Amino acid sequence: MKASTRKKIIIILVVTVIIMLLRNYAPAYFSLEAIKSNRETFQSYVGQHYFIAAIIYLATYFVTTAFAVPVAAPLTLAGGFLFGTVIGGTLTIIGATLGALVLFIMVRFLI
């Protein structure tokens, strides 16, 4: 087996394992109930560290979109709730677009 073929198989296996883990465990942490129960914690963190919280939200949305984890609705609502409609919507669009781009590139060149 060629080294490039072996490398592609390993990458596909690692990505598959990551997707399976995220699909099984991420929805419990990104549900509406989890967001509601931690509301004060999230708001205080965003109030104290606005820029870092925005980057974390953007990265979270990017990863969940790139690995096709089905938590878009609660994350979108949380973004609007925590950052406001305009900033939350902008961060959501940027994260979703970058995540979809990475997903497209992974599928295009790995499969």
Side-chain angles (χ1 to χ4, degrees):
M1 185 181 301
K2 287 184 178 180
S4 64
T5 305
R6 189 175 319 158
K7 187 176 180 181
K8 284 183 182 181
I9 290 172
I10 291 172
I11 290 172
I12 290 171
L13 287 174
V14 168
V15 168
T16 303
V17 169
I18 290 171
I19 289 172
M20 287 173 36
L21 289 173
L22 285 174
R23 282 187 173 262
N24 287 333
Y25 298 110
Y29 295 105
F30 296 112
S31 66
L32 288 176
E33 293 80 23
I35 293 169
K36 286 179 187 176
S37 65
N38 295 313
R39 174 183 173 178
E40 291 83 21
T41 305
F42 290 147
Q43 284 180 329
S44 69
Y45 186 81
V46 170
Q48 294 172 358
H49 310 285
Y50 192 82
F51 183 73
I52 294 171
I55 296 298
I56 290 171
Y57 175 76
L58 182 71
T60 303
Y61 212 99
F62 165 76
V63 169
T64 57
T65 304
F67 291 112
V69 180
V71 293
L75 271 180
T76 303
L77 292 173
F81 171 71
L82 293 173
F83 301 105
T85 307
V86 175
I87 301 295
T90 304
L91 292 173
T92 299
I93 291 170
I94 292 170
T97 303
L98 292 176
L101 177 68
V102 168
L103 180 62
F104 172 77
I105 290 171
M106 284 191 310
V107 170
R108 170 93 170 133
F109 292 110
L110 290 179
I111 296 177

